[in-house]
Amino acid sequence: MKIEFAPLMIPLRRRMQTAAVLQWVFSFIALAQCCLAVFILLSLSDLWFLAALYAVWLYVDRDTPVRGGRRSSWVRGWRVWRHFRDYFPLTLVKTVDLDPKLNYLFGLHPHGVLVAGAFGNFCTKASEFEKLFPGLTPYLLMLPFWFRVPFFRDYIMCAGLVSSDKRSASYLLSRPGGGHAAVLAIGGAPESLEARPGALTLQLLSRKGFIKLAIKHGSPLVPVFSFGENELFNQMPNPQGSVLRGAQERLQKLMGVALPLFHARGVFQYSWGLLPFRKPVCTVVGRPILVSRDPSPTREEVDRVHALYLNGLNQLFEENKESYGIEKHRHLSFI
């Protein structure tokens, strides 16, 4: 394989963008393990009492990830996130105004490999979500597994990440006065195994729990599509029935996390590495689908609203796809 090296003379701003994305990728794939290792080493050292105190704190603070988390405006506003945004670049597009007196359930598609668009647009101030949707506060839902990792949990909560446990979403959607937007990647970990350039397949047909949750709280459903998300990484071939896919699915069932074997470019060369490609990602927030509150919705009502959601998402995609480089003849596929 011929290696294409990056030019030596590159503007400082682009170096800063690469560094910003490098630390983000490190946070996704290795920071949790490093935090756990620090906790274990601390427990075995003369400073074991600090680990003991933190363990007590973990117990006392155990419900925070399902009760809105503990966001930090300072962390969300770090300058590094603006460099992160400009690397791709990331953009956030509003199609309609959203009433801040209501709570919303944003359905995010596609999951992609590392949900770069969702992180940049909903977990930082770089895309100015608060200016586009005044009065709304976004919360990106993440697998509960990560909120059990010492130190790491506190860092990700600073960005506005909360547990994807059903109690967490219910807490946000039931807040009096409105103003909360729970952002959920509907396809979840299994969909990340399908994320590769050109992919337009979404795992959605059998996923109706989020529909039932929205109906229970009377919260409007908002389809959100990140154009370009699947273009950021290549992935090793893992067709259904392959040994690799079988191992990935077993891991996902066991731990709740998938392990897509992705690759794209490196820091000093463009041929291979774990950094995403510099491809634009545009996250378009669609029209809300209003639902009537029903604490005990019937299967028929869930199916009806689910069909409305599929139609709304498909309409959002069709209305915007050509603006973001997708050919007219290409369409979403729901499985």
Side-chain angles (χ1 to χ4, degrees), residues 105-320:
L105 180 53
F106 284 20
L108 177 71
H109 312 272
H111 183 286
V113 173
L114 297 182
V115 286
F119 180 86
N121 291 314
F122 301 120
C123 296
T124 78
K125 294 183 178 181
S127 295
E128 301 186 328
F129 178 94
E130 291 81 1
K131 291 184 179 180
L132 286 174
F133 301 99
L136 277 186
T137 302
Y139 299 82
L140 182 61
L141 277 65
M142 191 176 185
L143 288 172
F145 172 84
W146 299 112
F147 294 92
R148 302 188 186 105
V149 181
F151 307 123
F152 183 73
R153 66 187 293 275
D154 301 289
Y155 175 61
I156 60 178
M157 280 196 289
C158 285
L161 286 151
V162 295
S163 173
S164 60
D165 187 284
K166 187 184 297 183
R167 294 176 298 158
S168 178
S170 293
Y171 177 87
L172 296 173
L173 299 180
S174 63
R175 291 300 85 198
H180 297 75
V183 185
L184 178 64
I186 306 300
E191 193 173 271
S192 68
L193 300 179
E194 302 287 352
R196 49 178 46 86
L200 291 175
T201 299
L202 303 179
Q203 297 210 12
L204 195 52
L205 289 183
S206 62
R207 295 180 178 263
K208 300 180 181 180
F210 74 103
I211 300 289
K212 188 175 182 179
L213 188 65
I215 296 174
K216 282 185 174 182
H217 295 282
S219 298
L221 288 153
V222 181
V224 179
F225 198 91
S226 282
F227 291 90
E229 184 71 45
N230 281 342
E231 310 304 312
L232 300 182
F233 294 97
N234 292 318
Q235 191 170 163
M236 290 186 64
N238 59 342
Q240 289 288 349
S242 66
V243 174
L244 174 58
R245 187 56 170 265
Q248 290 172 323
E249 290 177 345
R250 284 193 294 273
L251 177 66
Q252 193 271 321
K253 290 178 181 178
L254 179 65
M255 301 184 63
V257 296
L259 187 63
L261 299 183
F262 62 91
H263 59 93
R265 53 157 292 186
V267 177
F268 302 110
Q269 47 79 28
Y270 301 140
S271 301
W272 198 93
L274 298 180
L275 291 188
F277 294 120
R278 282 184 181 264
K279 297 288 184 68
V281 178
C282 185
T283 302
V284 184
V285 180
R287 305 178 186 87
I289 299 167
L290 302 180
V291 298
S292 299
R293 185 175 182 276
D294 185 349
S296 301
T298 63
R299 179 177 296 180
E300 291 74 18
E301 178 64 7
V302 171
D303 289 343
R304 185 187 71 82
V305 176
H306 187 258
L308 289 176
Y309 183 84
L310 292 179
N311 289 335
L313 174 61
N314 196 59
Q315 182 179 357
L316 175 68
F317 176 80
E318 293 293 333
E319 289 176 351
N320 292 277

